[in-house]
Amino acid sequence: MFKIFRKNHTTANIELKDNNQLSALKLAAAKAADEFNVDEQAVQSSIFASAAQGTPIIENRAVFLFATSENKSRAHTMMLTFKDPVAWGTDRTPVDYLIIGLFPDGSTDEQIQAISDKVTTGLSEKADQLDDIKFNDSNLNKLNQSFTD
């Protein structure tokens, strides 16, 4: 079904029962809450608010969303890849990478944007390798780690 790599906050090859954006968002919130030991409902609300602000599609296949938590003292990222792409947004772009940034409460827009820029740059630099990275444990972990290094 899927593999979990706890240390590096990546989950690859996810098969969603209901392959849609809402299911992907709910799963991301649940996994972020579990991974980072934060309240699931608070993270879900924050992720949904981030999605509602409009989500630019990165490299025609990835989305970066963020959440905040009073239990975090520094930014982290978590990456999910989907076996079957999820139709995202009003134009239903097929997304197979979902990156969640988890930030401490009080993080500034600039701090969030800095990580968002790292995600965009990292995915752009690896655009021609994303099909291979998607299920390669080591490379997926390295890519995710590069967002907060």
Side-chain angles (χ1 to χ4, degrees):
M1 182 140 113
F2 58 83
K3 295 180 181 178
I4 298 176
F5 309 102
R6 287 251 178 233
K7 181 178 176 189
N8 298 302
H9 309 301
T10 58
T11 306
N13 201 25
I14 296 170
E15 292 184 60
L16 293 169
K17 181 179 178 183
D18 296 317
N19 194 25
N20 60 49
Q21 184 175 339
L22 182 60
S23 292
L25 290 171
K26 286 181 178 180
L27 176 70
K31 290 203 170 291
D34 183 52
E35 283 286 315
F36 300 115
N37 196 29
V38 295
D39 179 70
E40 182 175 342
Q41 187 58 48
V43 171
Q44 181 173 314
S45 295
S46 197
I47 288 173
F48 278 46
S50 174
Q53 292 177 15
T55 310
I57 307 294
I58 305 165
E59 290 302 319
N60 295 313
R61 68 183 305 169
V63 175
F64 173 76
L65 300 170
F66 68 91
T68 59
S69 172
E70 63 186 21
N71 296 334
K72 296 282 77 175
S73 60
R74 69 179 194 89
H76 298 274
T77 57
M78 179 184 78
M79 184 181 298
L80 310 173
T81 65
F82 300 104
K83 181 175 182 178
D84 299 311
V86 175
W88 206 272
T90 56
D91 61 356
R92 304 190 50 79
T93 302
V95 166
D96 58 351
Y97 278 78
L98 176 57
I99 301 93
I100 301 294
L102 187 62
F103 295 86
D105 274 348
S107 294
T108 65
D109 289 341
E110 291 78 19
Q111 291 167 317
I112 294 168
Q113 188 61 49
I115 299 290
S116 178
D117 290 346
K118 280 187 170 186
V119 169
T120 300
T121 299
L123 291 174
S124 295
E125 288 174 352
K126 303 280 186 186
D128 60 342
Q129 301 168 37
L130 291 177
D131 284 336
D132 295 329
I133 291 171
K134 183 176 173 179
F135 302 120
N136 181 301
D137 305 345
S138 177
N139 290 337
L140 189 64
N141 291 331
K142 286 177 189 175
L143 180 59
N144 186 57
Q145 289 173 346
S146 73
F147 303 146
T148 53
D149 284 347

